[in-house]
Amino acid sequence: MAKKKETKVETTPPIVEQPKVETPVMEKPLPKKKKDTWEIKDRTYFLTNNRSPLTKSIRATDIYYFDEEKGFERELKYTSNQRTPFVDEMKGDQRLEHIIFENGVLNVPKNKTVLQQLLSLYHPHRGSLFTEFKPVEQAVNEIDYLEMEIKALNAAQGLDIDLAEAVMRVQLGSKVSNMSSKELKRDLLLYAKQNPALFLDLVNDENVVLRNFGIKATEMGILKLSSDQRTFSWGSNDRKLMNVPFDEHPYSALAAWFKTDEGMEIYSNIEKRLN
């Protein structure tokens, strides 16, 4: 008997489907609104410019805040029975309340969150008519001022006599010419302590020495300033040196003129006479 041929049957391996893994889409968190970071605490508000009238009422209605997220102005109102200062969020009747400062101060307890947020975040007169007392910010400002005061006092301590005289002449005028060196040093240190910002500006002003130089030359009769304060001339022969531009201080104009070619020659001439 003939042998039967064996037929090979090719088998295809079963396809195993891989489970689909979806990549999660991370949504960007929405920016927090001002009220989401609100700290619940007692707050104090002061009228600006050290004003302290017996009583001062500020507007509690018919005021508006521009909401940048919504893109339009929203009406504000302070009431005693609503949980929001925004009129478009209020429900039911609205019982209007007054906002009154006494002796320039308004203390708002932490349970009056709506009033605090109205005053601190939304009221159009915040920062101009009144401001919130913030101890940390005040401490930072005081530190900045103290550091500036120290810098001014250090600068005053090391100032040479000519620059010291020039700076103090801005403050005291011709009185400086009759002061002793100790009096000048004392007043210089006091001026640096009382007005550190202005003092430092004057020390760094290159024209302040030139103005002082011109004033000294005029006081000694080397230069002469006309009665209308429009012309400088030689004191010895009345020959005109320069005209003061309109609306300029005469000695500021003279200081600027000393920097010109002609002015530098006159400056050198005067310097020899002063020495």
Side-chain angles (χ1 to χ4, degrees), residues 221-224 232-241 257 265-267 269-270 273:
I222 299 174
L223 297 180
K224 184 188 293 184
F232 279 100
S233 57
W234 282 115
S236 56
N237 56 18
D238 289 334
R239 183 170 67 86
K240 186 174 74 173
L241 294 174
W257 182 73
E265 293 182 8
I266 301 300
Y267 180 90
N269 189 318
I270 296 171
R273 300 190 190 191

Side-chain angles (χ1 to χ4, degrees), residues 81-214:
N81 65 326
Q82 297 287 338
R83 296 182 178 180
T84 175
F86 292 106
V87 173
D88 56 25
E89 295 178 352
M90 294 181 179
K91 299 177 181 179
D93 65 315
Q94 304 163 7
R95 293 195 289 272
L96 184 65
E97 283 283 323
H98 297 289
I99 305 174
I100 301 175
F101 285 73
E102 295 182 354
N103 297 314
V105 181
L106 175 60
N107 294 306
V108 184
K110 61 184 179 182
N111 62 308
K112 291 192 174 182
T113 305
V114 174
L115 177 56
Q116 287 187 357
Q117 291 185 348
L118 173 62
L119 295 174
S120 296
L121 304 178
Y122 307 121
H123 201 288
H125 296 153
R126 69 192 189 283
S128 57
L129 180 60
F130 65 89
T131 185
E132 181 183 349
F133 173 65
K134 297 180 179 180
V136 175
E137 290 185 7
Q138 183 172 342
V140 170
N141 291 337
E142 288 177 355
I143 290 172
D144 290 343
Y145 184 86
L146 289 171
E147 289 177 346
M148 184 186 298
E149 186 178 300
I150 292 170
K151 185 177 180 181
L153 287 170
N154 288 336
Q157 190 67 32
L159 222 57
D160 65 70
I161 191 67
D162 289 334
L163 185 51
E165 181 181 310
V167 170
M168 290 312 299
R169 192 178 293 278
V170 175
Q171 176 72 4
L172 302 176
S174 59
K175 180 183 175 182
V176 171
S177 301
N178 300 321
M179 295 175 68
S180 66
S181 58
K182 288 186 177 180
E183 289 174 328
L184 183 62
K185 192 72 172 181
R186 177 202 62 200
D187 286 6
L188 185 74
L189 289 169
L190 289 173
Y191 186 47
K193 180 177 177 61
Q194 294 166 358
N195 301 281
L198 179 57
F199 176 84
L200 291 172
D201 285 343
L202 289 172
V203 169
N204 294 319
D205 183 357
E206 61 180 9
N207 285 337
V208 71
V209 174
L210 292 175
R211 282 199 300 269
N212 184 56
F213 181 86

